Structures are given as C-alpha cells and as structure tokens.
Amino acid sequence: MDTYARFPLELVRGRGVWLWDQAGRRYLDGMAGIAVCTLGHSDRVLRRQLNRQLGRLQHVSNLYGIPEQEELARAICARSCADRVFFCNSGAEANEAAIKLARKHGHMVRGIAEPLILTAHASFHGRTLAAVSATGQPKYHQGFEPMVQGFRHFPYNDTSAFEALLAAAEADGPRVAAVLLEPLQGEGGVNPGDPAFFQRVRQLCDAHNILLIFDEVQIGVGRSGRWWGYEQLGVEPDAFTMAKGLGGGIPIGALAVKAAVDHFRPGDHASTFGGNPFACRAGLTVLAEIERRNLLSQVRDRGALLEDLLHGLIDRHPNLLVESRGWGLLQGLVLREGGPSAPDVVKAAMDLGLLLVSAGPNVVRVVPPLVIKPKQLRKLVERLELALQSLA
Ligand SMILES: *Cc1c(COP(=O)(O)O)cnc(C)c1O
C-alpha cells in the first residue's frame, strides 16, 4: 500500500557502512536503516551466528521454554537496571506492552479506575493506536481519531509545565499511572533530555508511586556511547523499551522492567513471534559484538569526532546552519529557517552518494552504523558539505 513517501532508490546489497543500488552505485550509509543496523550491513559475525541458528531452530512458541530468549533477557538485565524482560518484534509493540504495564500499575498499585499516562510534546512512540496516541505530535493523529484515551501531553524538558500538569491531574486523588519519556527525542528533532528535568520527574514519580518509563527504542543499545540513554541523565527508569538497534536489522523489541513493577502474570500479555530463537540470536550477537569490539567507548570517541566535524561545517555555513545536538552517534544538524529544508538536504546528499534521514522539517539526522570509522565519518561530512553547497 502507498504508506511511504519513498525515494526513487532501491538498495540491493550492503557491506559494512556501504550500500549499493541496482545500477551498482555506492552509498555511504549515514542512517543505518534509521538507527537499526548497529553492526553495519552483512556483518561477518552476525551472518555466521544467524546462519548457525537457521541450521538449528528458528521458531517454536512462547508455550515452551526458549533458551536463547532467557539468555538474551539475562544479557539485557546484566547491562541495565532491569530484572525481567518481555520480548516482542518492534518499538511500537514494546511501548504497547509498557502502556499495558502502566495501566495495570495504575489499577493495582494506585487504585485508579481510569489511569492517565503523561507523555511529551514532539515525542515519538510508534504507529499502533495506543503508541500513536502516546505520541505528542498531532500530525500523526490526523485522520485516525478517536485516539486511545488516557494520555496527556506536556512540553519536553519543561519542569514547571510537568509539575503543573501532574498537580492538576492528581488534584482529586491518584490519577496518573506513569510518565513515558524518551531520554533523547529522536524523531521529534534530536532533542537531548535535560538531566535536571529528568531528575525532578524521577523525584515526583517516586513521591506519588508513579511509574517512570523510558522509550529507549532509538537511543538505547549503545547509540549514545552508553548502553542506555538514561545513563546520560543520572536517573534510572522503572521500566524501559528497546527495539531498533537490538537485532542489528532482525526485527526484535523488548520491554525491560525492575522486579518491583513486574506486574504481568500469565495471560496478561503475549506475542506469537516475540523472542523467538532466531531474533534472540541476533540480539545476543549484537550485545556480544558491542562488547567484543569495544563499541561503547568507540561510539563516544566517534560521536565527539562527528560533533567536531559538524561544528566545522556550521562555522563554514552560518547562513544555512544553526547548531548540532545529540549524543554519541545520534546527532541532529539544525538548519536555518528560510534556507533549504531537511528533506532538501537529504535528497541532495543522496544524489552525492550519502544516505541521511530528516527528523522533522529542519533537522538532518546523522545515525550511522556504530562500527563507522573516523575516515568514513570525515567522508560523510565532506559529502554533506557538498550537498549543502549544491543547494546554496
Ligand atoms: C522508531 C521508534 C519507535 C517505533 O518503533 P517501530 O519499530 O517503528 O514500531 C518508538 N519509539 C521511538 C523512540 C522510536 O524512535
């Protein structure tokens, strides 16, 4: 169906940070399938592990024990504040699970008949009906009303607006089950969370026994240079979701929770495909390779290099560019109003052999595979500069 405004480009092969189209033209991948292809394309180790898993077992059912799933759950918990994990297949599904958990917390723990979940303006939580209702961007709601009820939105990083909304919602007694936030808003324009704001939200959630849930679907699994975005903020969530980077290109999502808020009981939630041996093998391999190749510290170094290179670009083109912002290898380049738009820049870069993705009308998102090398980052920013020059 015609759900995507697609570019006239078909990619048929990939290796590392490079992609090729049908005519054999080569593209430098600066967007990694939108923050998905953690290890780049056709990674040797991922290929070997998945081939082996294909020769052993792909799918059984969650009616049976799945050793690969248990191992991946342990691996996630060992690297985070979580104690238990539910597996699904995408970011939206992971957030659906989080929303159900939040509502159960509201009913069971706080005794709320109609619990509310507070989320931010400019957030992005996915396209299923509840996840899109949680999403604080009216353009994604249009044409699909009525939205799922029980969500209230407030400006991101705005402590007093959050305090006011919470106070109003709780004026006649318990009403709020959870606060759902991205540690860094990806889709909404690459807006990093403010530690002071997040610490205040954590404090208020603790005081009211409200769940604090983080959507780590884009920034989690190493993209920030730490395993999880929340490590940049000095607060731990009660639960968090992940998906994009976890499978390195194989669909997998997860909700990870602390033991104290593990409210799901048999029958509460389920997924046919969720956590099957094949997808979990992909997740296990990605986590192991991030460690074996020391990618977390590499991402911090290369993120700093990318920031430097983008700052150079901004200095040379102050008439087109405002600033860059982000964490690690998720950086947003903010364009000046009145000049070329982010989609214009993405299109011009594609014509010059560089793939990027916009985050709203005026932010170009640079989200390369985590394995990108310094030389390739320099080439990426060179091509980006040529694209800007072609539009100036
Ligand atoms: C991409 C994204 C989602 C949705 O993930 P899907 O796998 O497309 O359902 C949810 N939250 C955030 C923060 C995302 O970036």
Side-chain angles (χ1 to χ4, degrees):
M1 291 172 78
D2 200 16
T3 52
Y4 301 97
R6 296 186 200 268
F7 294 110
L9 170 65
E10 287 181 298
L11 298 160
V12 294
R13 193 163 66 82
R15 180 55 67 92
V17 298
W18 296 100
L19 286 161
W20 284 265
D21 70 8
Q22 268 166 330
R25 265 200 84 195
R26 192 171 80 144
Y27 297 82
L28 178 56
D29 186 1
M31 56 91 85
I34 318 188
V36 167
C37 305
T38 313
L39 305 177
H41 302 281
S42 303
D43 177 72
R44 197 177 49 81
V45 179
L46 184 59
R47 234 166 49 213
R48 179 162 21 94
Q49 289 294 327
L50 290 178
N51 274 330
R52 241 188 235 165
Q53 189 65 50
L54 280 173
R56 197 157 51 224
L57 189 64
Q58 289 82 67
H59 179 87
V60 279
S61 160
N62 282 302
L63 292 173
Y64 310 108
I66 301 173
E68 294 85 352
Q69 186 184 121
E70 289 167 23
E71 197 183 334
L72 181 56
R74 276 194 298 271
I76 289 167
C77 293
R79 288 157 186 78
S80 73
C81 62
D83 304 301
R84 312 293 300 271
V85 185
F86 171 84
F87 288 100
C88 52
N89 314 286
S90 67
E93 269 180 280
N95 287 330
E96 292 279 335
I99 290 162
K100 284 179 70 174
L101 182 85
R103 286 191 170 183
K104 199 162 179 203
H105 179 84
H107 293 304
M108 260 181 35
V109 177
R110 299 204 71 209
I112 306 168
E114 294 187 6
L116 294 177
I117 297 172
L118 311 187
T119 70
H121 293 161
S123 58
F124 186 80
H125 299 296
R127 301 298 204 107
T128 57
L129 205 42
V132 86
S133 302
T135 295
Q137 299 192 59
K139 70 175 178 189
Y140 292 124
H141 296 173
Q142 240 168 38
F144 303 106
E145 300 88 349
M147 291 293 104
V148 172
Q149 54 182 336
F151 295 97
R152 298 284 186 277
H153 302 99
F154 63 95
Y156 191 63
N157 280 341
D158 186 333
T159 304
S160 47
F162 173 75
E163 287 173 350
L165 177 59
L166 182 62
E170 297 260 309
D172 301 323
R175 189 67 212 284
V176 178
V179 180
L180 171 62
L181 289 168
E182 293 158 88
L184 172 152
Q185 292 186 326
E187 215 74 20
V190 190
N191 308 310
D194 169 12
F197 164 76
F198 273 81
Q199 285 159 22
R200 180 66 180 142
V201 171
R202 176 72 275 178
Q203 220 175 28
L204 286 167
C205 286
D206 285 341
H208 291 78
N209 210 355
I210 291 168
L211 285 192
L212 180 54
I213 304 172
F214 287 168
D215 179 342
E216 295 262 5
V217 168
Q218 189 157 160
I219 194 66
V221 199
R223 182 147 293 277
S224 72
R226 305 279 171 196
W227 280 115
W228 314 106
Y230 69 74
E231 295 173 67
Q232 311 280 349
L233 297 169
V235 295
E236 283 184 359
D238 300 298
F240 63 96
T241 56
M242 70 198 82
K244 287 191 166 89
L246 179 61
I250 304 303
I252 182 169
L255 165 67
V257 305
K258 289 196 176 190
V261 301
D262 176 19
H263 301 314
F264 284 159
R265 292 295 164 264
D268 277 347
H269 200 47
S271 165
T272 296
F273 292 118
N276 82 12
F278 186 72
C280 288
R281 179 59 60 200
L284 279 166
T285 306
V286 167
L287 298 188
E289 286 305 291
I290 286 177
E291 255 155 27
R292 196 178 66 81
R293 301 184 206 180
N294 207 10
L295 288 183
L296 294 181
S297 77
Q298 240 184 67
V299 167
R300 295 198 290 275
D301 290 349
R302 287 173 198 175
L305 171 63
L306 177 57
E307 272 184 55
D308 280 352
L309 293 168
L310 292 176
H311 288 154
L313 203 58
I314 294 161
D315 288 344
R316 292 192 295 281
H317 302 278
N319 53 326
L320 294 178
L321 306 173
V322 183
E323 60 164 346
S324 76
R325 58 194 183 213
W327 294 334
L329 287 177
L330 173 41
Q331 296 287 330
L333 184 62
V334 184
L335 302 169
R336 212 168 271 296
E337 298 269 344
S341 70
D344 293 338
V345 175
V346 169
K347 180 71 183 62
M350 193 167 64
D351 293 338
L352 290 160
L354 169 64
L355 302 183
L356 297 168
V357 61
S358 57
N362 68 338
V363 179
V364 175
R365 209 171 351 164
V366 186
V367 269
L370 301 191
V371 294
I372 195 165
K373 298 190 170 78
K375 205 175 94 186
Q376 296 163 335
L377 274 176
R378 288 201 181 84
K379 188 179 283 280
L380 185 157
V381 176
E382 271 166 32
R383 288 188 182 181
L384 176 52
E385 182 153 29
L386 289 176
L388 289 169
Q389 284 163 349
S390 78
L391 291 164

